[in-house]
């Protein structure tokens, strides 16, 4: 028998790291570089309301490998999440760290640095993604969903 369940998965991170493109790629299987120009400018971390986090089963925290500041912000995104939301049993919400735009050669963040950051900040795993090249998009969500389901 097949059972279906609906999971709320959040995607957070600084502006311009590729969140909308990621969701669009996952849902529609397409990358359109003109798809959406986010609000203009670099939005940085902003504290979210609890309502936004409510009832979520998992979270993607994304940064851009060509923008070291966007990785630094991931610490704040993760802390904000953990301070405002948890699973019904009180455990933190499973969270995966995605290092997006790995197709670009102008990387400023090394894999070693990301690994350390991921461990220190309680992410279940981290993965390099390229929404542009369709690298690790479905794989990363699969990894997160496996983790979510293993908690149930
Ligand atoms: P958001 O503000 O986090 O939702 O970011 P967007 O999805 O609007 O993406 C910001 C910009 O980065 C857009 O111009 C995208 O086309 C581009 N972008 C997103 N993902 C990638 C990627 O994997 N590689 C490259 N080279 N560009 C990307």
């Amino acid at each position: 028998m097949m059972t279906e369940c609906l999971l709320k998965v959040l995607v957070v991170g600084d502006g311009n790291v590729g969140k909308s493109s990621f969701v669009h790629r996952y849902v529609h299987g397409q990358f359109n570089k003109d798809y959406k120009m986010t609000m203009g400018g670099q939005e940085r971390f902003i504290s979210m309301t609890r309502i936004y986090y409510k009832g979520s089963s998992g979270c993607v925290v994304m940064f851009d490998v060509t923008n070291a500041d966007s990785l630094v912000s991931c610490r704040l995104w993760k802390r904000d999440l953990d301070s405002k939301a948890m699973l019904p049993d009180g455990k933190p919400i499973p969270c995966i760290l995605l290092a997006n735009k790995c197709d670009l050669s102008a990387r400023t963040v090394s894999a070693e640095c990301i690994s350390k950051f991921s461990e220190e900040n309680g992410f279940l795993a981290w993965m390099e993604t390229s929404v542009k090249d369709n690298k690790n998009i479905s794989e990363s969500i699969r990894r997160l969903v496996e983790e979510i389901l293993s908690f149930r």
Side-chain angles (χ1 to χ4, degrees), residues 11-22:
V11 183
V12 299
D14 280 1
N16 217 42
V17 299
K19 301 179 299 296
S20 318
S21 306
F22 178 83

Side-chain angles (χ1 to χ4, degrees), residues 13-22 31-38 43 62 100-104 129-133:
D14 280 1
N16 217 42
V17 299
K19 301 179 299 296
S20 318
S21 306
F22 178 83
F31 178 74
N32 176 356
K33 69 179 176 51
D34 305 318
Y35 165 58
K36 192 202 85 174
M37 289 299 141
T38 308
E43 310 148 58
M62 181 178 279
N100 192 39
K101 307 197 188 181
C102 69
D103 57 282
L104 297 176
T129 57
S130 167
V131 178
K132 182 166 178 265
D133 292 350

Side-chain angles (χ1 to χ4, degrees), residues 115-131:
S115 283
K116 189 157 173 277
F117 184 92
S118 171
E119 255 175 53
E120 283 173 358
N121 291 283
F123 289 94
L124 68 94
W126 74 276
M127 281 171 114
E128 284 192 352
T129 57
S130 167
V131 178

Side-chain angles (χ1 to χ4, degrees), residues 41-131:
Q42 288 276 331
E43 310 148 58
R44 301 295 302 279
F45 169 77
I46 41 159
S47 172
M48 304 294 291
T49 151
R50 280 171 200 278
I51 306 293
Y52 176 75
Y53 292 132
K54 199 166 187 279
S56 46
S57 310
C59 183
V60 170
V61 180
M62 181 178 279
F63 70 99
D64 168 352
V65 291
T66 69
N67 174 1
D69 286 346
S70 71
L71 174 61
V72 174
S73 291
C74 290
R75 188 190 308 271
L76 305 177
W77 287 108
K78 178 75 165 67
R79 277 196 199 152
D80 195 51
L81 171 74
D82 288 341
S83 71
K84 293 179 181 159
M86 59 180 82
L87 296 178
D89 65 3
K91 290 192 176 132
I93 288 169
C95 214
I96 193 165
L97 179 66
L98 299 188
N100 192 39
K101 307 197 188 181
C102 69
D103 57 282
L104 297 176
S105 55
R107 299 181 58 126
T108 54
V109 194
S110 71
E112 197 189 359
C113 173
I114 304 166
S115 283
K116 189 157 173 277
F117 184 92
S118 171
E119 255 175 53
E120 283 173 358
N121 291 283
F123 289 94
L124 68 94
W126 74 276
M127 281 171 114
E128 284 192 352
T129 57
S130 167
V131 178

